[in-house]
Amino acid sequence: MTSRRNFITGAAMAGAAAVSKAAMGAVPEAPQQSSAATVPPPPPPNGRPYNPVVTPNGWSLPWRMKDNVKEFHLVAEPVVREIAPGMKANLWGYNGQSPGPTIEVVEGDRVRIFVTNRLPEITSIHWHGQLLPNGMDGVSGLTQPPIAPGKTFVYEFTARHAGTFMYHPHADEMAQIGMGMMGFWVTHPKDPRQHAVDRDFVFLLNAYDIEPGAYTPNVNTMLDFNIWTINSRAFPGTDALAVRKDDRVRIRIGNLSMTNHPFHIHGHRMEVAGTDGGWIAPAARWPEVTVDIGVGQMRALEFTADAPGDWPFHCHKSHHTMNAMGHDVPNLIGVDHRGVARKINDLVPGYMVMGDKGVSMGGMRMPLPENTLPMMDGQGPFGGIEMGGMFTTIKVREGLARGDYRDPGWYAHPQGTVAREWTGPAPEPVRAAAAPAAPDEPVANVKRGDGHTMHDGH
């Protein structure tokens, strides 16, 4: 992590007229983070104790305690985010990253947040889900003047309720959220023993439309996105969640994309432990293996990691676990186009027949345009994983140290516990006798359509 101590001095301070001189003198530094690596948070250095969360491929924002108020400093600015190795994007974010750093406070904390705008247009910050004074709600034009480029505003309120929240602009939202401006907020309970778990992760879900060869998202896209991300990272760039066997694990998910995401866990049942409205009493929680996260919603999911292994955790909309997927590609499954391929080869040597048996690449490596990702990628111990986008793994291991979030490597399966090929004799398939058609009975002819060119109902 790098720090821009005193960055808000000199020229950067010149236009910050929205903050009084006294307040300007008190503006805390704005720590920066440009690495895409997961940064496990240290224990809180002051204030009331809490159990910190972990932001995969992200970090938590340090604060300064002043007159018993927790002071944070967010800087809205252009950032470069590595979506996954081989692809970067020009985004907007906070303090060097998209999403911005996670803010962690304790129920009842008085918080003061300085927000400096280094974007080329106005902005504001809405504290999504917080109960606060109307003038601190961060809706430009309605509850406050917009923060002009070069200005710094101050938000101050008391974090009244423990729970899971988000922050994002409420100015030019489609462009600014579409460019990656968002962050997580966790208000911990006063008693750190309440709702305590062993490992507590936070995710923000978002999507981008970045054409191969381009670096800047098309912010005019409404549904037809091609890059689906967890904390602005796409598989195989998403860090695995390392947990110790029998740990109680919580994953908090916020959705700031334009569609819902049914998140599915393998090998475990999870409980919905919290919603936008707060915590659910243990007796009222319900078990799931897939939980739908609606647009603008937050969910806290919990499970006991009692099954060692490498378990997928992913959105169950199949095209959300693909990268850079074109939607206008014709469906060629079952089409014999070898003859056409021979003719194309006369014009384009090296052209290959593809898509007639599915779109699995089978480990094939092809040249890609600049700055994009394969639709399906990631290598596992048994070959290609063939996933992308909103996909990660939960790695459950015996004996991990408390607070150790490093990738433990691939799981070593006990002998006899891996699916294997059957090499013995197979019985003849049993088929039901076809019933004779009744006289004059109409025969249904089913013709497969020509396919659609747009995805509806994302």
Side-chain angles (χ1 to χ4, degrees), residues 24-236:
M24 288 295 284
V27 171
E29 66 179 64
Q32 291 277 299
Q33 174 62 266
S34 58
S35 168
T38 300
V39 181
N46 52 42
R48 288 178 291 184
Y50 63 81
N51 301 310
V53 300
V54 173
T55 306
N57 301 110
W59 59 303
S60 289
L61 184 63
W63 69 84
R64 179 181 68 183
M65 189 68 79
K66 183 177 182 183
D67 299 330
N68 211 30
V69 177
K70 278 186 177 175
E71 291 187 335
F72 299 87
H73 190 177
L74 288 172
V75 178
E77 59 186 351
V79 302
V80 176
R81 175 63 158 174
E82 185 187 68
I83 301 294
M87 180 182 180
K88 294 182 178 179
N90 297 326
L91 303 180
W92 291 354
Y94 300 96
N95 298 49
Q97 278 278 19
S98 168
T102 299
I103 293 176
E104 296 187 74
V105 301
V106 177
E107 187 178 21
D109 275 354
R110 188 72 178 171
V111 297
R112 183 178 300 126
I113 306 156
F114 295 82
V115 179
T116 298
N117 182 9
R118 301 187 72 203
L119 299 173
E121 67 167 352
I122 62 168
T123 191
S124 68
I125 294 193
H126 168 58
W127 313 101
H128 190 114
Q130 300 281 351
L131 302 180
L132 35 60
N134 183 241
M136 295 291 164
D137 199 37
V139 182
S140 64
L142 178 64
T143 64
Q144 68 164 81
I147 308 174
K151 304 287 187 180
T152 297
F153 272 44
V154 180
Y155 296 84
E156 184 167 341
F157 54 89
T158 298
R160 293 170 54 187
H161 300 284
T164 302
F165 308 102
M166 303 184 283
Y167 63 86
H168 61 78
H170 232 300
D172 193 11
E173 291 171 50
M174 187 164 169
Q176 295 190 10
I177 294 177
M179 288 289 285
M181 295 187 69
M182 60 190 72
F184 225 98
W185 177 301
V186 174
T187 301
H188 296 279
K190 290 179 181 176
D191 183 351
R193 296 169 297 182
Q194 188 177 13
H195 310 304
V197 293
D198 298 298
R199 304 204 180 212
D200 199 341
F201 300 95
V202 299
F203 284 173
L204 274 176
L205 308 177
N206 198 11
Y208 301 98
D209 178 14
I210 306 175
E211 289 297 313
Y215 286 78
T216 303
N218 179 0
V219 297
N220 298 314
T221 298
M222 296 183 184
L223 291 175
D224 211 12
F225 299 95
N226 62 358
I227 300 292
W228 303 89
T229 60
I230 298 172
N231 287 339
S232 292
R233 290 279 284 185
F235 187 80

Side-chain angles (χ1 to χ4, degrees), residues 166-346:
M166 303 184 283
Y167 63 86
H168 61 78
H170 232 300
D172 193 11
E173 291 171 50
M174 187 164 169
Q176 295 190 10
I177 294 177
M179 288 289 285
M181 295 187 69
M182 60 190 72
F184 225 98
W185 177 301
V186 174
T187 301
H188 296 279
K190 290 179 181 176
D191 183 351
R193 296 169 297 182
Q194 188 177 13
H195 310 304
V197 293
D198 298 298
R199 304 204 180 212
D200 199 341
F201 300 95
V202 299
F203 284 173
L204 274 176
L205 308 177
N206 198 11
Y208 301 98
D209 178 14
I210 306 175
E211 289 297 313
Y215 286 78
T216 303
N218 179 0
V219 297
N220 298 314
T221 298
M222 296 183 184
L223 291 175
D224 211 12
F225 299 95
N226 62 358
I227 300 292
W228 303 89
T229 60
I230 298 172
N231 287 339
S232 292
R233 290 279 284 185
F235 187 80
T238 51
D239 279 354
L241 310 185
V243 304
R244 181 174 49 184
K245 183 179 179 296
D246 296 326
D247 269 353
R248 186 67 178 171
V249 180
R250 176 181 299 135
I251 302 176
R252 309 178 194 233
I253 303 178
N255 181 7
L256 284 175
S257 74
M258 294 193 194
T259 185
N260 63 311
H261 298 287
F263 254 76
H264 175 60
I265 192 171
H266 290 218
H268 297 81
R269 285 195 179 94
M270 51 193 177
E271 295 178 337
V272 180
T275 72
D276 311 60
W279 293 106
I280 300 171
R285 297 176 183 180
W286 64 95
E288 297 275 14
V289 295
T290 304
V291 176
D292 199 26
I293 318 294
V295 177
Q297 286 186 328
M298 294 86 74
R299 291 289 182 268
L301 314 174
E302 292 184 12
F303 64 97
T304 299
D306 54 4
D310 297 336
W311 302 106
F313 185 62
H314 60 94
C315 178
H316 219 292
K317 287 187 175 180
S318 53
H319 64 298
H320 293 185
T321 53
M322 300 185 77
N323 293 321
M325 178 183 177
H327 289 183
D328 296 329
V329 178
N331 182 4
L332 297 176
I333 291 179
V335 176
D336 184 354
H337 55 161
R338 287 173 294 180
V340 175
R342 280 194 293 272
K343 295 179 180 177
I344 295 176
N345 251 305
D346 292 339

